[in-house]
Amino acid sequence: MTVAVKVRHPGVSDVIRRDFIIINWAANLSTLIPGLKWLRLDESVRQFAVFMLTQVDLAREAAHLSRFLYNFRSWKDVSFPRPVYPLVHPAVLVETYEHGESVSNFIEFSEESHVNRRLAHIGTHTFLKMLLIDNFIHADMHPGNILVRLHRQTKEKELTKRKTSISRTQPHLVFLDVGLTAELSNKDRGTLLEFFKAVALRDGRTAAQCTLDFCSNQSCPNPEAFREELEKSFKFWGSREADVIHPGECMQELLEQVRRHKVNIDGNVCTVMVTIMVLEGWQRKLDPEFSIMQTLQNLLFKQDLAESLAYTMNGIMAP
């Protein structure tokens, strides 16, 4: 069989550990400087160190692949490489070789087409299943880690009392490099869902409070000023004058306000938000009319959330 072999460079784990000892020393010094103390660089460095060391453990990546394969076992338009056991080791990973064309090619030469619209649709629902149903998120979903396969699908339809075969190109997404993943605690997951509901309802104060709740040891110097500014921004975003503003741009402005007011956000929650921004960016180029935020909001207001989402999304994507 044709396989792909990922090999960890010899000694790279020791180099990463040594580098983080130096970086952590500098981050600890920053806690003594009043202007930098709110950043909590020491906590950020520790979280980043865990992410980096996790990524160079290829046996852990194989376990992630197996988990994603199980979660998406019934989806016809999404797949992942399969680890080839027992050829799995923390320093070496043998996995199936996946053929396909980089999704970057579709983004760079984007044009309005059925294939591009389907790619945006599949990518969005894949992420939302990871976030809302599985709570196991591929946290590195940039275009370089996504392949596209195209296949012809033929359906028979009754047209003017006779059967006619209609052939259409259907895309299939393959997600690679799953070393970096994110899982949220029950508290953070519930808070994140409430945050997105508040965004949908243009409820700035609730969205601000949810953002403040993303860190148990919050160091925002003036939480009320943050709530008031977000409430004012949300009122504008809900007005007719703001109809031309894309939801992704609203999210960028919100994160800028988080920075200005020195609001702390837990690393895993921040990873999920950044992943949404990355995903929203390349999907907007594939289909300017498709909004990951709007799709998320529509799903959040369904009755019996978990059951409804699992049924609806599997019904949409599975054979």
Side-chain angles (χ1 to χ4, degrees):
M1 64 186 296
T2 304
V3 298
V5 182
K6 296 183 71 170
V7 181
R8 187 175 69 195
H9 283 272
V12 71
S13 296
D14 294 332
V15 172
I16 291 174
R17 288 190 179 91
R18 182 197 64 201
D19 289 348
F20 273 111
I21 289 173
I22 298 170
I23 295 171
N24 195 51
W25 177 78
N28 286 332
L29 282 181
S30 73
T31 61
L32 304 177
I33 303 173
L36 297 177
K37 189 174 181 181
W38 75 272
L39 289 172
R40 296 183 185 171
L41 291 177
D42 53 337
E43 293 181 18
S44 298
V45 167
R46 283 195 292 271
Q47 290 177 338
F48 185 53
V50 171
F51 280 133
M52 287 296 296
L53 291 170
T54 297
Q55 279 199 287
V56 297
D57 183 349
L58 299 181
R60 183 183 290 269
E61 181 172 344
H64 292 170
L65 283 172
S66 297
R67 188 167 172 183
F68 280 122
L69 285 165
Y70 178 80
N71 289 345
F72 287 88
R73 62 194 181 280
S74 63
W75 284 43
K76 61 179 179 180
D77 296 328
V78 175
S79 62
F80 299 80
R82 293 184 177 275
V84 182
Y85 288 101
L87 306 178
V88 172
H89 183 273
V92 180
L93 169 60
V94 179
E95 60 186 22
T96 54
Y97 185 84
E98 302 296 330
H99 295 274
E101 185 178 355
S102 173
V103 76
S104 300
N105 297 338
F106 295 84
I107 296 170
E108 291 169 6
F109 305 103
S110 181
E111 60 181 21
E112 189 172 343
S113 69
H114 162 73
V115 169
N116 283 6
R117 288 192 295 271
R118 281 293 298 165
L119 287 174
H121 175 91
I122 296 168
T124 294
H125 283 83
T126 298
F127 174 77
L128 294 181
K129 175 174 165 26
M130 292 176 182
L131 174 64
L132 300 176
I133 299 174
D134 304 329
N135 191 24
F136 189 63
I137 303 152
H138 187 331
D140 202 11
M141 293 177 71
H142 61 81
N145 284 339
I146 303 171
L147 300 179
V148 177
R149 294 183 193 143
L150 299 177
H151 60 271
R152 303 292 292 179
Q153 188 177 71
T154 303
K155 290 185 178 180
E156 287 192 345
K157 287 192 174 182
E158 291 279 353
L159 294 177
T160 61
K161 298 184 179 180
R162 72 176 186 273
K163 285 188 177 180
T164 302
S165 293
I166 298 176
S167 183
R168 204 174 196 186
T169 301
Q170 295 291 343
H172 178 104
L173 288 181
V174 184
F175 292 89
L176 311 174
D177 196 9
V178 300
L180 188 60
T181 61
E183 293 181 73
L184 301 177
S185 67
N186 288 335
K187 174 183 175 296
D188 284 341
R189 193 160 173 246
T191 303
L192 187 64
L193 295 181
E194 289 303 315
F195 168 81
F196 286 128
K197 285 183 180 180
V199 171
L201 296 170
R202 300 293 191 269
D203 183 353
R205 292 194 72 85
T206 300
Q209 187 57 53
C210 289
T211 306
L212 292 167
D213 290 342
F214 284 142
C215 182
S216 57
N217 189 19
Q218 188 58 251
S219 61
C220 175
N222 192 342
E224 186 55 33
F226 175 63
R227 294 187 191 97
E228 289 176 359
E229 183 173 346
L230 221 57
E231 185 175 26
K232 183 178 178 180
S233 296
F234 272 57
K235 284 182 180 178
F236 171 70
W237 292 335
S239 66
R240 287 187 176 183
E241 293 84 353
D243 284 347
V244 295
I245 302 176
H246 196 276
E249 295 171 2
C250 296
M251 181 67 78
Q252 290 175 358
E253 173 60 25
L254 187 150
L255 292 177
E256 175 60 24
Q257 292 172 351
V258 164
R259 185 194 64 79
R260 282 202 306 271
H261 286 272
K262 302 180 180 180
V263 177
N264 298 106
I265 298 179
D266 177 77
N268 274 339
V269 176
C270 196
T271 297
V272 171
M273 287 187 164
V274 170
T275 301
I276 291 175
M277 297 293 293
V278 171
L279 193 65
E280 194 274 340
W282 61 261
Q283 288 183 337
R284 195 196 310 185
K285 292 182 179 179
L286 287 170
D287 184 0
E289 301 300 320
F290 194 83
S291 170
I292 183 174
M293 293 299 298
Q294 188 60 52
T295 305
L296 174 59
Q297 291 162 11
N298 291 341
L299 289 171
L300 285 174
F301 288 102
K302 286 183 175 290
Q303 296 291 327
D304 303 321
L305 178 64
E307 182 180 348
S308 175
L309 284 176
Y311 177 81
T312 303
M313 296 179 73
N314 281 322
I316 291 172
M317 308 302 293

